[in-house]
Amino acid sequence: MKPSTIRFSGMPGPRREWIRWFGDKEGIAVQRGVYQYSLSPFQLKVGPNWARGYLEGALRHLKGEARFYTVPFLFGIGVYVWANDHYAYLNSKANHVEGDK
């Protein structure tokens, strides 16, 4: 549902009434105190560039937090590489020959 582009200051009520209700024919009052607010057409068009805003925000956040996740990530990669090399060595012929001595 698309919101209305016009916002009014309020409906006439029991307090000071500047304009009569629709259909009331008891006299024509001068309109005073009615303020009209509208939204910019650029704010109503949320479709274009919505992905760019999310992407820029995510990249800015990741860049700011990089120092907190790069060190553990590199440590994890190092452990993974060492474990794979060590596993390959344990299952290699060189380890079997060395273990027999």
Side-chain angles (χ1 to χ4, degrees), residues 8-78:
F8 293 104
S9 62
M11 293 292 293
R15 58 192 199 294
R16 299 186 327 201
E17 233 178 66
W18 301 110
I19 187 168
R20 303 278 183 207
W21 286 96
F22 180 76
D24 188 10
K25 299 179 181 175
E26 283 194 21
I28 299 174
V30 178
Q31 286 189 0
R32 297 184 312 190
V34 176
Y35 297 101
Q36 180 176 353
Y37 302 98
S38 64
L39 297 173
S40 167
F42 297 107
Q43 291 177 339
L44 292 177
K45 295 180 185 177
V46 295
N49 305 327
W50 69 269
R52 186 185 336 155
Y54 283 120
L55 184 61
E56 288 173 357
L59 291 176
R60 186 175 57 243
H61 178 71
L62 287 174
K63 188 173 71 171
E65 300 290 327
R67 62 178 179 233
F68 298 115
Y69 65 81
T70 52
V71 173
F73 180 75
L74 293 176
F75 179 75
I77 294 293

